[in-house]
Amino acid sequence: MQCIRRQPKRTVSQENILLEQSRRVAALNGIRLGLKDDKDLKFLLKGSHLLKVKSSSWRKERFYKLQEDCKTIWQESKKVLRSPESQIFSIEDIRDVRSGHKTEGMEKYAKDVPEYRCFSIIFKDQRKNLDLIASSEDDANHWIAGLGKIIAHSNSMNQKQKLQHWIHTCLRKADKNKDNKMSLKELKDFLKEVNIEVDDYHAKKIFQHCDKSKTEALEDDEIEEFYKILTERKEIDSIFQTYSDPEGFMSCQNLVRFLYEVQQEEDAVVAAPALIQRYEPNERAKRGNAMTKDGFLMYLLSDEGNIFNPSHRKVYQDMTQPLSHYLVSSSHNTYLMEDQITGPSSTEAYIRALTKGCRCVELDCWDGPNSEPVIYHGYTLTSKILFSDVIKAIKNYAFQTSPYPVIISLENHCSVDQQKVMAQHMTTILQDMLLVAPVDGNKSQFPSPEQLKGKILVKGKKLSRQEDPINGNNNLEAEDVSDEDEAAEIEDESVKTKVEQKGKSDTLKLAKELSDTVVYCKSVHFEGFDDPNHPRAFYEMSSFSESKALKLAQESGTSFIHHNIRHLSRIYPAGWRTDSSNYSPVDLWNVGCQIVALNFQTAGTEMDVYQGRFQDNGFSGYVLKPEFLRDEQTKFNPKSITEGTWGTKKKLLLKIISGQQLPKVNKSKNSIVDPKVTIEIHGVQQDNNKKQTKVIENNGFNPNWNEEFTFDIEIPALALVRFVVEDFDMSTKNDFIGQYTLPFTSLKQGYRHIHLLTKNGDPYSSSTLFVYVNIQDCD
């Protein structure tokens, strides 16, 4: 029989020492966050009991506490065999903290509790919301304010501070016996924790170099020495040395030279002194108007050293063009959280889409009980939500991320009576936000996003016998209009059976009240491109399945471009995509389609490219199409490119130099990533390309590639560049680590950091790639 060695029990004095150490570490982390002696932070570190709410019958008390790292929350669990890791969640994973009854769960299951005691934690990924009830208003306020402060202060930390905080947290975790010293074994455990595999010889060499006291344990200054060795950036040191003097200072004049010659910054003379003042930590250097190596690194890790042009983080494009001249961030079946057949519907899906910059959301409306219309994916087992709840969510979140107009795309399957209820809900809930009349009497073309700021437009059917929506209405109460039923196109046997049983009609009776809410976006079936002698009204728009739209793009690219100069086009995924997979939006943007709707809930290359396109122009959800997609005389065809005014061809040189703090894919302590980088170009067919680096084995902490790649870009205005980092696996599919996608026109040149995003498009706190970018005109 094997004996199990039990850990010796700690004495009371040992426990008190550990408790005091924990308090000191927490206080130090509070200072790093800029929250010294903050009463809300102290409350969270002490922890409190909260009621966790899951349903009307499940409401249980659990203890929640902020850990000493000030980055993670520990939650008590009564589940048997629950792993310690599953009882912890990171504050970095929190998207939002909402007070009161602001989630579906709180709305349904906590109405009996005063709002001032309720709050919800909303996560960035697909995790369910955490709905909580505090025992008092004060406790709830401490949690809401405390979490809000930690999130805000963490986001405002520079990269160096984030790195320092993270490494010290990992050091603390590796210090198993909590003696504030590091043995050789603990050092090796720490290196695995930060995602680097070092052989015993190399680990021992680092250890002996730092162990100046020869005590076989690192402490205090020795640990700091180890930290310096670990965070050394030799590739940046060599750049700095080229422009600095022997004393280790880069003069303002040399910084100007570096910014102008290498970084291609036109305003280098103005920028250099400002960068020194902003990023140089050494006061002596700052007074001498110079930069040290630390300040140089801080600059390269900052927004000014980012590969994405910081001036594109605000709205910089002309927003006074007609609405049809912009690409519009758009979501398909916005109400769905998962697949198209059995998944849940939720108002939370609308909130997530709108806060990700989406400007066109979809509502599939059906008759519900008690004369209240519901939203769900017709003929399927997806759950149902109230139309009125969705309109309330849209009202509350429509303009939190962007002030520019939101389009509600209605797919209406309701009876006339419930259509009237829909119209009433939109009118009473949205009030002045709802656009019910033409803007400034404009009757010949779309108003601009600027003119429509703060407005919500309805896209839907319009009574055909009414006068056109721009010039007024008559008194017709209701009549038949053609039905648009995208749900009936789903390639699923149970759906097809239900559609056949229903006996699908080609027409639908439309209520005048609902018809009146449609002003600029009248849905019509596509009957072919305009006859120049009998042009269609500009406000008439059609929806196309992805296959129909791609066929038109392939066969009639120039005609489609001309159509999209004057009319809006909406594209939606094919019926066989029951798993909510996505199609590439790029070929449809290339012919000027504006409302290219994707399943926002599904992560992947397509959504990465989508979010990459729309981070441009201040993340406003509107991106101005290039001139050649707006010009009435254009002859551009992306499938057959000839000479024209499409912009100068470019040669893109990219050097992938190094990576920093890549996250672990497999959480197992002994699993270290083998990273490789793939560079993808997404644009017109000639520009689509993909190249990759070699694999670096067992190093996710500071891998070095130093590999150069060149790409010829035919149409720069339509190209996007995607950087993907994967954990190479010889026997199975590579694991995704992180990615970053941006428009070619938003690339900054010179030495730049790429701040990687998670699978769901959220930023990692300190995972980066370091690259060199150079763009030349092609001969």
Side-chain angles (χ1 to χ4, degrees), residues 26-274:
L28 185 63
N29 285 324
I31 291 166
R32 283 190 185 125
L33 278 170
L35 293 171
K36 186 184 177 184
D37 297 330
D38 184 84
K39 67 180 193 315
D40 295 316
L41 185 71
K42 283 182 177 175
F43 179 88
L44 267 60
L45 286 162
K46 191 176 170 189
S48 76
H49 284 96
L50 298 166
L51 282 177
K52 184 177 178 179
V53 181
K54 279 189 175 179
S55 69
S56 51
S57 59
W58 201 104
R59 191 185 284 185
K60 295 182 181 176
E61 190 173 77
R62 296 286 184 263
F63 189 74
Y64 289 82
K65 179 183 184 296
L66 179 67
Q67 303 282 80
E68 64 181 33
D69 62 4
C70 296
K71 282 174 64 177
T72 49
I73 303 280
W74 179 83
Q75 51 186 338
E76 177 191 14
S77 173
K78 299 288 167 77
K79 282 184 183 172
V80 183
L81 301 176
R82 185 165 181 180
S83 67
E85 291 80 17
S86 66
Q87 289 183 251
I88 289 171
F89 62 85
S90 171
I91 285 176
E92 284 174 10
D93 295 336
I94 297 174
R95 184 180 300 283
D96 192 14
V97 181
R98 295 184 202 151
S99 60
H101 303 144
K102 299 268 176 56
T103 63
E104 284 178 344
M106 282 302 202
E107 192 72 38
K108 280 183 191 171
Y109 311 129
K111 276 295 197 184
D112 58 313
V113 181
E115 283 208 67
Y116 56 73
R117 282 176 50 204
C118 300
F119 67 99
S120 300
I121 293 173
I122 318 300
F123 294 101
K124 288 177 180 175
D125 51 25
Q126 303 297 334
R127 225 179 316 180
K128 287 180 180 169
N129 299 338
L130 186 55
D131 293 323
L132 300 164
I133 300 170
S135 56
S136 69
E137 183 177 3
D138 278 354
D139 281 12
N141 287 340
H142 279 308
W143 277 102
I144 295 161
L147 289 173
K149 286 176 194 173
I150 296 169
I151 292 166
H153 284 253
S154 296
N155 290 342
S156 64
M157 285 169 90
N158 64 46
Q159 287 295 118
K160 195 172 179 184
Q161 289 169 323
K162 285 178 184 176
L163 175 62
Q164 192 179 25
H165 193 173
W166 176 66
I167 284 181
H168 279 92
T169 301
C170 292
L171 282 167
R172 179 87 176 143
K173 205 186 280 188
D175 181 13
K176 296 296 182 202
N177 60 0
K178 304 294 182 225
D179 62 354
N180 284 338
K181 297 177 185 177
M182 185 176 278
S183 66
L184 178 58
K185 184 183 181 305
E186 285 174 334
L187 178 135
K188 281 153 75 174
D189 285 347
F190 164 79
L191 290 171
K192 284 179 180 171
E193 186 69 41
V194 300
N195 209 1
I196 183 169
E197 181 77 74
V198 176
D199 60 54
D200 286 355
Y201 171 77
H202 192 54
K204 198 167 185 181
K205 200 173 163 189
I206 297 172
F207 187 83
Q208 287 172 342
H209 173 82
C210 297
D211 184 20
K212 309 285 189 209
S213 59
K214 308 294 181 207
T215 56
E216 296 296 309
L218 306 186
E219 50 188 314
D220 302 330
D221 291 346
E222 294 170 339
I223 289 175
E224 284 305 311
E225 175 71 15
F226 171 63
Y227 170 82
K228 279 179 188 167
I229 291 170
L230 197 66
T231 55
E232 204 171 24
R233 295 283 301 274
K234 288 179 181 173
E235 73 276 36
I236 288 177
D237 292 353
S238 64
I239 302 164
F240 181 77
Q241 281 165 11
T242 308
Y243 290 87
S244 61
D245 61 27
E247 288 182 27
F249 291 101
M250 184 189 286
S251 67
C252 187
Q253 191 178 355
N254 278 352
L255 179 57
V256 168
R257 199 158 61 85
F258 170 76
L259 292 174
Y260 189 74
E261 292 172 2
V262 181
Q263 304 297 78
Q264 305 286 306
E265 300 285 7
E266 290 175 6
D267 62 343
V269 174
V270 177

Side-chain angles (χ1 to χ4, degrees), residues 610-744:
Y610 207 85
Q611 291 298 84
R613 171 57 73 201
F614 285 106
Q615 72 167 314
D616 194 8
N617 201 30
F619 199 51
S620 63
Y622 285 85
V623 171
L624 186 64
K625 293 191 275 188
E627 173 64 32
F628 56 83
L629 293 182
R630 296 180 275 126
D631 177 13
E632 300 274 2
Q633 308 304 316
T634 190
K635 291 184 172 59
F636 180 73
N637 184 347
K639 299 295 180 187
S640 173
I641 293 170
T642 54
E643 290 299 316
T645 55
W646 331 132
T648 310
K649 294 178 192 175
K650 303 286 183 184
K651 187 174 282 295
L652 170 65
L653 180 138
L654 279 170
K655 185 176 184 182
I656 307 295
I657 301 170
S658 60
Q660 294 75 40
Q661 293 86 58
L662 303 178
K664 280 193 169 201
V665 175
N666 185 332
K667 295 298 178 191
S668 151
K669 187 177 92 172
N670 294 316
S671 173
I672 310 295
V673 301
D674 305 320
K676 69 164 198 168
V677 181
T678 304
I679 306 155
E680 302 169 355
I681 307 294
H682 298 259
V684 296
Q685 206 164 331
Q686 290 96 312
D687 291 343
N688 291 339
N689 206 340
K690 185 187 287 193
K691 296 181 182 182
Q692 57 193 39
T693 66
K694 60 182 180 281
V695 175
I696 303 289
E697 292 187 357
N698 290 325
N699 188 350
F701 183 73
N702 54 5
N704 264 277
W705 289 279
N706 277 313
E707 291 186 63
E708 280 189 11
F709 304 92
T710 56
F711 299 88
D712 290 329
I713 309 293
E714 187 91 19
I715 311 291
L718 297 179
L720 295 109
V721 187
R722 181 171 183 252
F723 299 85
V724 194
V725 188
E726 292 175 307
D727 179 13
F728 176 74
D729 195 312
M730 198 173 285
S731 55
T732 60
K733 189 170 178 275
N734 294 340
D735 287 317
F736 175 90
I737 293 176
Q739 71 84 33
Y740 189 76
T741 309
L742 73 164
F744 179 87

